[in-house]
Structures are given as C-alpha cells and as structure tokens.
C-alpha cells in the first residue's frame, strides 16, 4: 500500500496559482475588454451610449484581475483532474 505525501490539494497552493494567474492575466484582460466593448455595442440598441474601445480596455484592467483568478482556478482544477499535479 502506498501513501501520498501530498496533504494539500493542488488548487490550494497559492504560489503556483498566483503564477498561473499572472501568466493568464494579459489574455483574460483582453477577452474581458472585447466582451465589454461588444456589450457596449449591444447597449446601443437599448438606447445607452456606446462604449469606446479605450474605455472598455480601462474597465477591463481591474475586472481582468478577478477574471484571471477564476481562470487560474479553473485551469488548475483541469490539470489536477487530468492527474498532472
């Protein structure tokens, strides 16, 4: 019978998760900016003012941080499920 020396799940390791989040941040922020810009375009149909690409990017900077943490957790869970860690 073999026992595992790992006592914490891979998603609970803060160092690896933060490095993955930093790696994903530019891509996730760009995706958030595109989605915000498209949402602004759809908002025009409801009578709202259009959201410029610059404004969408500025809004995406803080929102991308939260989204990258969620993306890093999701990727880490996929890696753990595959048995990679």
């Amino acid at each position: 019978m073999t026992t595992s020396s790992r006592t914490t799940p891979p998603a609970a390791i803060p160092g690896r998760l933060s490095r993955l989040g930093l790696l994903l941040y530019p891509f996730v922020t760009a995706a958030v900016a595109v989605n915000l810009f498209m949402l602004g375009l759809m908002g025009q149909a409801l009578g709202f003012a259009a959201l410029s690409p610059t404004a969408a990017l500025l809004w995406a900077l803080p929102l991308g941080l939260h989204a990258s943490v969620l993306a890093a957790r999701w990727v880490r869970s996929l890696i753990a499920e595959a048995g990679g860690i």
Side-chain angles (χ1 to χ4, degrees), residues 19-80:
R19 278 189 275 166
L20 182 60
L22 287 175
L23 179 68
L24 291 174
Y25 178 74
F27 304 106
V28 171
T29 302
V32 169
V34 168
N35 286 324
L36 283 175
F37 179 69
M38 293 297 172
L39 186 64
L41 290 178
M42 289 190 303
Q44 282 184 320
L46 299 173
F48 295 108
L51 188 65
S52 70
T54 305
L57 185 59
L58 289 175
W59 276 100
L61 291 175
L63 293 174
L65 182 64
H66 299 292
S68 66
V69 169
L70 293 174
R73 286 182 185 171
W74 176 64
V75 169
R76 181 62 60 198
S77 71
L78 291 177
I79 293 171

